[in-house]
Amino acid sequence: MSTSAPSPAELDDFRREVADWFTANKPKDPGFLLPQSFMEVGTDEQFYFLRDWQKKIYEAGYLGMAWPKEYGGGGKPQALQDIVTREMVKQKLPFMTNTIGLNWAGPLILNMGTEEQKKAYIPGILSADDIWCQGFSEPDHGSDLGNAQLKATRDGNEFVLNGSKIWTSLGRHAKYMILLARTNPNTNNKYEGLSFFLIPMQIPGIEVQPIKKLTGEYGFNQTFFTDARISESCLIGKEGGGWAVAMATLAFERGAVGGQAGGHSMMSKHVSEVVALAKVARRNGKPAIEDPVIRDQLLQFIIEERSQALNGSRGRIKALNQERPGSLAMSGKLVGSEYQRRLNQFALSLQGSNAAYYVGDPLAYEGGLWQRSYFNAFSATIGGGTSEVQHNIIGERVLGLPKS
Amino acid sequence: MSTSAPSPAELDDFRREVADWFTANKPKDPGFLLPQSFMEVGTDEQFYFLRDWQKKIYEAGYLGMAWPKEYGGGGKPQALQDIVTREMVKQKLPFMTNTIGLNWAGPLILNMGTEEQKKAYIPGILSADDIWCQGFSEPDHGSDLGNAQLKATRDGNEFVLNGSKIWTSLGRHAKYMILLARTNPNTNNKYEGLSFFLIPMQIPGIEVQPIKKLTGEYGFNQTFFTDARISESCLIGKEGGGWAVAMATLAFERGAVGGQAGGHSMMSKHVSEVVALAKVARRNGKPAIEDPVIRDQLLQFIIEERSQALNGSRGRIKALNQERPGSLAMSGKLVGSEYQRRLNQFALSLQGSNAAYYVGDPLAYEGGLWQRSYFNAFSATIGGGTSEVQHNIIGERVLGLPKS
Amino acid sequence: MLDSNKKPTILFSDEQEQLLEVATNFCRDRFPMSETRKRIEAKEDLSKALWDEMAGLGWLGIAVPEEFGGSGLTLAEVVTVVEPMGEHLAGTPLVATTLAAQALLAAGTSAQKETWLPKICEGAIATLALSEPSGDWSLTSLEATATKSGDTLTLKGTKTFVSDAASADLVIASVSYEGKAALVLIEKTQLNNITREIVIDETRRSYRIELDGITVPASALLDISKTEAALAHIEQAACLLLSAEACGGTNGAINVIVEYLKTRKQFERYIGSYQALKHPTVDALLAMEAARSHLYYAATMFGEGIEGEIAVRMAKATSSSALAFASDRAIQFHGGFGFTYDCDAQLYRRRGIWCEAQFGDAAHHRAKLSDMLL
Amino acid sequence: MLDSNKKPTILFSDEQEQLLEVATNFCRDRFPMSETRKRIEAKEDLSKALWDEMAGLGWLGIAVPEEFGGSGLTLAEVVTVVEPMGEHLAGTPLVATTLAAQALLAAGTSAQKETWLPKICEGAIATLALSEPSGDWSLTSLEATATKSGDTLTLKGTKTFVSDAASADLVIASVSYEGKAALVLIEKTQLNNITREIVIDETRRSYRIELDGITVPASALLDISKTEAALAHIEQAACLLLSAEACGGTNGAINVIVEYLKTRKQFERYIGSYQALKHPTVDALLAMEAARSHLYYAATMFGEGIEGEIAVRMAKATSSSALAFASDRAIQFHGGFGFTYDCDAQLYRRRGIWCEAQFGDAAHHRAKLSDMLL
């Protein structure tokens, strides 16, 4: 797929080219507070702004650079794409909003899809013309994915869908959904009754209803299925083999396999921003950063944040991962999401009485970004397996402890 | 049992009298590091020193003051005994070493024993002539008391004991043991097969073997029973009714009912001692107490320590315990024992490189008291139901959460 | 304090006991969560009927001497009313009005007290304007000013987080006057530029007041010689009542968690049976119990010099942290539902951020305490 | 550092990989826990056979240039030997000797280096005498002195925590000399008053040295002009190797916990199935992984100016805390057995206290880091 490896000099040139391009093409301040991830896209103006941005990046050739040319990719080495992604993070540019498409559906289709599916779906994922959403969680068993109850009942060469999915971000804008559904309710092993589908969203019997988040904003939906009919060609993997497909797909989220499409999908907060805040915020008539207790806490965050970066680096050295090979990869989500929650919470504590302002008040620091960011941080400590479930997984799979 | 309530003036007079007596009679420095509780009594010299001390207090009329006169007590109001106990804590005097006798066996016998048992056992408990130990835990099921397997097999009007008990402090010095044993191994409900005994220790078939503690010292024992024969008159409560007796007895330890015999049984560390240490210890060429981060931590401990005292005070006001009546009483052991562990650990961190000294080195702060005290603190976070089990108990009994 | 032998003792009066019972029942009836959510959405800042009922119960004059129409009790009795209100996240001007009355009692002239205190006891709404845009917790670092010319004071500057200003008959604002902190009365009709603030705790009605253009008569100044002490008293009173709100709130958050943990199943078990949820919930309970003990000791010791101040700061520190912890965990332990606006966890979390942000968080009070105790 | 875009990168050489493998196997064979307990009880401070074997493997000269008989590698390679030793709680003079060699390399005169470094590579034991009774972590607040008279230096004072002094052929002590910190060589025969210390980590052989009465030739002074830099270098080297010991130790403590949690039953379930034990064990793992990443980054950056110092301090802070947490939980999670001397948990806990106490705990290093980074 990729051509011969570029030389260090070529990489350097490319790095400069990319930096220049983004500097020249970075979007203007939209005049409203942008979301930090696709899960926070709550208004139409946010969505269209972000979709245009992704399209622009793709058209410039900076997205899907390492994906095959025949499906709309660039057919270039992954190293180039990684340079682009890093530059976007560095310049704090908006994220790629078709996140489910780029990080889950795309890699899944490239790995397991038919030639027809690849041709049909990949180009629209990259251009953001076709937005994807995910249908995994259900209202009654959030963490217990294997217990999914949405029914997909076979009727000739069609399936009839009945039930409901929750946390379908971008559901109102999505053209497609990756869906885990129960095709057989009578198996002994609950996992064997599940199948995995790529389904169209704009069909009769599918209704998307927005969920108001704890922030007071929108961004998630509940999706209701009432006798919605899809073709059996929507199946990916075997009928009854959905669990394995879902696990493979989730592996992209848990960090075990990197999203190769490129572009970042989440604007995490960094401790450097909190340090900047501590220089502005006041405590007892002085900048908060002069308070030794606050300095000590900042250092704890600085050290933790570097731990995460270093875990990434060490994870690539096999000799330093001999005893528990999956440990670093499996714990990345837990460590990162809890760090974000605590960092945001700490940032609030620096703001004195002004921590009590909220998004929209002119006196809120950075427009209330920190307040919202703290609340939204729970989407990562809860979604994709709560931190409590992550602890179980690591304890059982990495340390070999008995099941709870 | 108690005469009419003393007037405030009488209490004041008594307080002065007691203070004077203890000031005049406090023991001299024995020349070796004393233990902090009966569980830490590791050498004969420690034991005899402490036994003599308890005897002296009793003979002065300052122990068992509120227990009935006919069994060797003082027959006086509890308020007087409480004044004595407080004064002993205040003057940091050694604890009463016959702790099991005073706090568990004594109250139990006074509540449930026959007239004969009361006459036989209570005086020796108070004078420390008869040391008591407890036989509850077994090696294979530390936290699972209801699963006790030591067999007490009826043979006519005797029981034959076989098995083993662990954590029998003072076992080598004890004349008697309170023992939970299985008289019927075939009940459907494991609790119904248990009986409770007051047994003599100096009989054939009982062997006491000291356990070396993590401190490197002694103080606990494992007690082995091999065809040891006791009379059925050793039973307290009904045969098969041992679980209820054990639970009543444990209530004394968990703090639900105060030990009325008086005298303190544990020399806890106080934050004031850590503050004193912080004034002596050096950090970067200055007293550690000038370090703002250390000051912040000291304040956290000061606030926590006061919480515990205030919980005691609030626990006595019914209107402030309406919603969850047992909450404060049930959580005292967990809160106090974890506090002690953390406080001792923090005290070590103040000592700079000298924290690495241990008991016996002339350069160890206070003879290595803090190092030993930190290790010994685990006896309370583990013994009498680990902190983890305490969390379960509080969650289930106070908050009504489902069983784990 | 550091003498481990001096056992602190909480006192609890019959009046406290009665008020606690009445207020607990009142709040259960009048402030079910559905009502609290309605109040968030409501256009008007205040339910007049409820307010009149509270005035009728005598709650606005609990800590006002009988000569001014109050009950002649103390803030310790107010605590017993505010705590259950905190549990139910009630948003009323009770605390603001009580604190304003305290300011009048601490530094008001005879005329000011005689004019305003009886009105307050009967239901007039009063509030304090102490904070400023810097967000600093110090009540004496003031940018707002009052300048005298003849018999008139001209005010300048901005005051933030003024509770219920739109409904208030009286605002008492802190300003810098002749180089010192001063308190000045502003009546409803004199306010000309107030803006509703967007605050994280949506049960609150909070306003920003622009003082520019306001003039008041010189007689609107509170007694200058008593102002410094009055500000210290107000800070402690505010901390005490916020502690009561936070303690009650922590209890409310724990109730929300426990209810969910007892009824929600995952992996075929009630989630409350998982120690990963059960044990931190117990920790929240322990933190609440500790904070509540500090609260009632602070109520006992309130006004008793340095020991009173120590007790209040400890109450504020422990209660702020307890509510922060319990409400943060409340969101997490509700899983996906916790991430929705419909879940009550967020209401408590928002209240928790408010309680930490106003009048100093735990670290702030520990720093103050370390100077007093070490 | 605070630039979130500069991704720090760990480098791991082939030599490191080979040494790590060899040392891991060596420690598994030579330092099973039964051997470690035997060493604690042993009368002699040292197993001569083992020491000779380690010298034979070239481990004493890893970071010594080839011209002095070493391998010419760096401390990054020493780390890979020390980490598995830490896991097995091995008590040997390897670290002490390595640090002494570093002191010679940093400030030794040509004659001193030529005399001592080849001997060290062949198995001579050397050690540093830096600490003093104050317990202060500052290496330059010295009470011990050296006074020159003619060609002789007279030493005075007390040095504490001198590892393996009784076996050492060479002690390098820090003293105050003409108002400045200096390092001075003391040979075995010149020591006249050493006392075995009672230390919490019983795998250590630690001595107190009384300098009073010792005289050495003036040529025993290390190069004064290089001493300040040498002490900074030694502090960092010591922190790096202690971090390696602590990381390895944390892994060992986790293994002890996991083994027990998988085999011990309570209430008819394996105790490892209880989240109250499982989840904190995972937290210990996460802390160990973070510390280990910092350790190998510190090894990568060692000696690279301020970035190197930052990396070392972070490694020391994270590894000390990780071992403290894991070993404290190891005792608790063993229940009653954890309270016995027979349980290995206490061995790790004692090592943990040692590692925090020597060369600064996490708070100490965070304070230093905050001055560098904020």
Side-chain angles (χ1 to χ4, degrees), chain A residues 284, chain C residues 309 313 363-373:
Chain A
N284 298 309
Chain C
E309 182 180 346
R313 291 192 186 278
H364 170 80
H365 288 288
R366 284 198 302 270
K368 297 279 179 200
L369 285 164
S370 73
D371 294 339
M372 287 185 260
L373 289 167

Side-chain angles (χ1 to χ4, degrees), chain D residues 169-241:
Chain D
D169 301 291
L170 177 68
V171 174
I172 306 179
S174 61
V175 289
S176 176
Y177 173 69
E178 295 178 352
K180 276 187 172 174
L183 290 166
V184 59
L185 304 186
I186 310 173
E187 298 189 27
K188 194 183 190 76
T189 51
Q190 294 163 332
L191 291 171
N192 57 14
N193 189 350
I194 74 171
T195 317
R196 171 110 182 248
E197 295 178 318
I198 303 175
V199 295
I200 198 156
D201 180 356
E202 298 179 312
T203 67
R204 307 274 172 178
R205 294 303 199 268
S206 184
Y207 289 84
R208 188 146 51 239
I209 299 187
E210 298 298 341
L211 300 178
D212 296 28
I214 299 182
T215 55
V216 293
S219 62
L221 268 184
L222 276 71
D223 187 336
I224 286 284
S225 70
K226 294 180 182 163
T227 299
E228 195 184 332
L231 279 172
H233 173 79
I234 292 167
E235 188 185 11
Q236 288 183 43
C239 284
L240 179 70
L241 298 186

